[in-house]
Amino acid sequence: MSRRVAGLLLVAPALAVVALAGTGLVYAARGSVADGLGGGWNTTAYRELLTDPVIRESLLTSLCIASVSTAGSALLALGAVGAVSTVRGARRALDAVARATLAVPHVLAAAAFALLLAGSGLASRLGHAVGLTGAPADFPVLVAGEGQTAVLLTYAWKEAPFIALLLLAAHTPAVRDLETAARTLGAGRLQRLLRVTWPLLAPALVEACLLVFAFTFAAFEVPALLGPSAPRALPVEAVELYRSVELADRPRALALAIVTGAVVALAALAAAVISRRLLRARTLP
């Protein structure tokens, strides 16, 4: 078997996923410019997206969820990697825990956080048991609350391990050698962190953050299970519009899907460019 054929076989699953997603986007784009009743083609759905206050609120909600989730996950991952970067056993433990967390589906994670943070959940009962609240019902509303708290906590728990794995992969022996050289020259821990470690890990961090932003912006499960009924995240709003009994709402739903897909594509493209530059920087002498 030639090397080219072997390479094509290795990327075949990824190409199949891309082809499936691309086909779906093509059909969505076609439906988004229909009038919903089969009477013609127009761009009314896209114009309505710009004027509908509900859609604007949903867009801001999704941007807020994606931005805060990405920032929180990045801070958690940076702290964890920084704490174990010089301890081999701790690095292996963090790697194992991160991989185990990634194996948990987002739907299962959302269900677990719902059982943990709901008004009658484990956290509220523990708070009542230790005297923090007068009754389980006094526990703050975190699930379906106004601040999307449960959604953000779920994403932080799920996405921080992904960022940590990419940072651990970027924290190569060459980086550790530079840290050792800086320590030998008298640099303190904070100086090594600011001048050596994080500048070298920055490309991997940016790449990971872009991927997390793209995923959390377009994900449906967690906001649908843990988010409030209003304002809804953009993917949830798109699904609700698609389920509407009014056929005229379907082009708007598909237009929302196209807008969401465009944001994800731009973030993925930026991540790919950064990844290529990172690889080139590592391989150049």
Side-chain angles (χ1 to χ4, degrees):
M1 181 182 298
S2 66
R3 183 175 299 179
R4 178 174 298 181
V5 174
L8 289 175
L9 291 177
L10 288 175
V11 301
L15 292 177
V17 173
V18 172
L20 181 63
T23 303
L25 285 175
V26 169
Y27 278 101
R30 179 182 177 184
S32 67
V33 295
D35 63 1
L37 299 175
W41 308 91
N42 56 64
T43 59
T44 304
Y46 291 94
R47 293 197 300 269
E48 289 178 351
L49 293 185
L50 299 176
T51 59
D52 191 341
V54 175
I55 299 300
R56 289 201 299 267
E57 198 168 7
S58 294
L59 176 60
L60 291 176
T61 299
S62 290
L63 289 174
C64 178
I65 290 174
S67 301
V68 176
S69 299
T70 302
S73 301
L75 290 175
L76 289 174
L78 284 171
V81 173
V84 306
S85 60
T86 59
V87 184
R88 180 175 299 180
R91 284 173 58 91
R92 291 178 179 176
L94 177 61
D95 182 86
V97 171
R99 292 179 186 275
T101 305
L102 285 181
V104 179
H106 281 79
V107 173
L108 183 57
F113 272 83
L115 294 175
L116 176 65
L117 301 176
S120 59
L122 179 61
S124 65
R125 295 180 182 276
L126 288 177
H128 174 61
V130 300
L132 294 178
T133 58
D138 297 333
F139 192 74
V141 179
L142 301 180
V143 176
E146 295 181 358
Q148 306 279 350
T149 305
V151 176
L152 297 176
L153 290 176
T154 303
Y155 278 142
W157 182 75
K158 276 293 295 175
E159 309 310 325
F162 170 74
I163 298 178
L165 285 176
L166 291 187
L167 292 179
L168 286 174
H171 197 264
T172 60
V175 176
R176 294 195 288 273
D177 290 341
L178 291 174
E179 292 174 336
T180 302
R183 183 171 60 250
T184 303
L185 294 173
R189 182 175 180 83
L190 182 60
Q191 287 181 314
R192 297 196 305 271
L193 183 67
L194 296 178
R195 297 180 179 274
V196 179
T197 306
W198 297 137
L200 293 173
L201 297 183
L205 177 62
V206 174
E207 177 187 354
C209 287
L210 286 171
L211 294 176
V212 170
F213 180 89
F215 176 82
T216 53
F217 182 83
F220 167 80
E221 307 95 327
V222 177
L225 291 174
L226 301 179
S229 57
R232 295 183 290 223
L234 203 61
V236 181
E237 186 67 30
V239 172
E240 292 300 323
L241 281 175
Y242 193 82
R243 291 174 176 174
S244 174
V245 296
E246 297 289 339
L247 291 179
D249 287 338
R250 185 155 300 180
R252 290 202 302 160
L254 297 175
L256 277 180
I258 294 299
V259 172
T260 304
V263 173
V264 172
L266 289 175
L269 179 62
V273 171
I274 292 173
S275 178
R276 177 174 296 182
R277 291 184 178 180
L278 176 62
L279 179 62
R280 185 179 301 172
R282 288 178 179 174
T283 55
L284 288 176

